[in-house]
């Protein structure tokens, strides 16, 4: 990478809890529940929120990405919370022989949901990709350890139902995510290597590709003091290292599938050293990974369709799934 030492920011987050800037909660309380409800599907936007004060995704237009219509959505529900949903968005014309699963970011917090990545969803669907936009409960609102992970696993596995119902290629799935969603996307891509009984083990869907856009890819080291990571895992690596061993993407290699990892060198939310460490680790384990570090790009650029990072991801995606 031009002009910067690839190790220069490896410990940057240790000095300030980078993701804590996304959180307004100092002492999060992860939920204890581990139940995973049975998924159901509806052919149109019928996901009515049941959580107190939650938005109604059926009537709230902000749940529809710009350029798309609710008629393009099929809702797959796996629980009563409004975030226990995967929304399938289908192109109206020119559907590609591929299937993309996306995971939103927002520091795993309860204040963010699948709308956070709507711009990327709309862009991919407009380019002919069927997209499953998965959601999950954040810590402090039914999520945390292990339920944010089991929610994500169940939401991703709904791709199998979507593929069967809409004749989508389950053998040509790319899973991708931004920020905290980059963490969960890469973790989900590694589920087949989880030990029996671990949260998310025995996946129904194994992606052909996985990508991180400005993702949190090594929480064990760089985020030990970060309130969001502690909220997600229910403790620091020193306290619950067994959980980090299962839930840290850098500790799940090898993946055995092609990977892509992009980040900006001006990212002040998730330092690009997270991406560097992950790339070095999975490469050493024998994985094939394309790394794209973009000079001057910030954190939000990782999910902006017209920004400097996403087009690089699209080129890689099309090259792999052309």
């Amino acid at each position: 990478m031009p002009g910067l030492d690839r190790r220069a920011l490896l410990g940057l987050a240790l000095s300030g809890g980078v993701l804590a800037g996304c959180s307004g909660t100092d002492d999060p309380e992860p939920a204890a529940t581990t139940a995973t409800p049975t998924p159901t599907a509806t052919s149109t936007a019928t996901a009515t929120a049941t959580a107190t004060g939650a938005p109604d995704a059926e009537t709230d237009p902000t749940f529809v990405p710009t350029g798309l219509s609710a008629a393009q959505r099929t809702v797959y529900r796996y629980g009563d919370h409004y975030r226990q949903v995967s929304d399938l968005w289908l192109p109206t014309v020119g559907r590609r022989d591929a299937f993309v699963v996306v995971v939103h970011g927002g520091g795993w917090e309860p204040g963010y949901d699948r709308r956070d990545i709507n711009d990327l969803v709309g862009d991919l669907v407009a380019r002919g990709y069927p997209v499953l936009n998965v959601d999950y409960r954040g810590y402090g609102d039914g999520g945390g350890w292990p339920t944010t992970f089991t929610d994500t696993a169940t939401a991703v596995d709904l791709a199998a139902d979507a593929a069967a119902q809409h004749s989508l290629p389950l053998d040509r799935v790319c899973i991708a995510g931004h920020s905290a969603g980059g963490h969960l996307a890469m973790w989900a891509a590694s589920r087949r290597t989880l030990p029996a009984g671990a949260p998310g083990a025995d996946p129904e869907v194994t992606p052909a590709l996985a990508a991180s856009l400005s993702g949190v890819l090594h929480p064990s080291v760089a985020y030990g003091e970060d309130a969001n990571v502690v909220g997600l895992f229910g403790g620091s690596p020193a306290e619950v290292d067994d959980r980090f061993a299962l839930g840290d993407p850098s500790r799940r290699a090898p993946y055995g599938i092609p990977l892509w990892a992009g980040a900006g060198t001006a990212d002040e939310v998730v330092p690009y050293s997270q991406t560097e460490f992950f790339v070095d680790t999975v490469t050493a384990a024998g994985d094939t990974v394309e790394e794209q570090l973009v000079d001057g790009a910030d954190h939000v650029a990782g999910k902006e369709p017209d920004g400097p990072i996403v087009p690089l991801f699209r080129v890689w995606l099309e090259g792999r799934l052309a």
Side-chain angles (χ1 to χ4, degrees), residues 161-243:
D161 295 344
Q165 184 175 356
H166 295 279
S167 300
L168 302 177
L170 201 57
D171 61 339
R172 292 171 61 79
V173 171
C174 175
I175 184 166
H178 172 256
S179 191
H183 161 261
L184 291 172
M186 280 298 181
W187 170 81
S190 76
R191 289 170 54 207
R192 64 184 179 82
T193 68
L194 289 168
D202 300 319
E204 293 184 29
V205 174
T206 299
L209 307 170
S212 166
L213 301 151
S214 306
V216 183
L217 298 179
H218 191 36
S220 293
V221 169
Y223 289 83
E225 299 300 320
D226 185 83
N228 292 53
V229 170
V230 171
L232 175 66
F233 285 93
S236 69
E239 297 165 329
V240 290
D241 187 65
D242 57 329
R243 299 178 182 180

Side-chain angles (χ1 to χ4, degrees), residues 146-160:
T147 47
T148 292
F149 292 86
T150 54
D151 274 10
T152 302
T154 304
V156 169
D157 281 347
L158 289 172

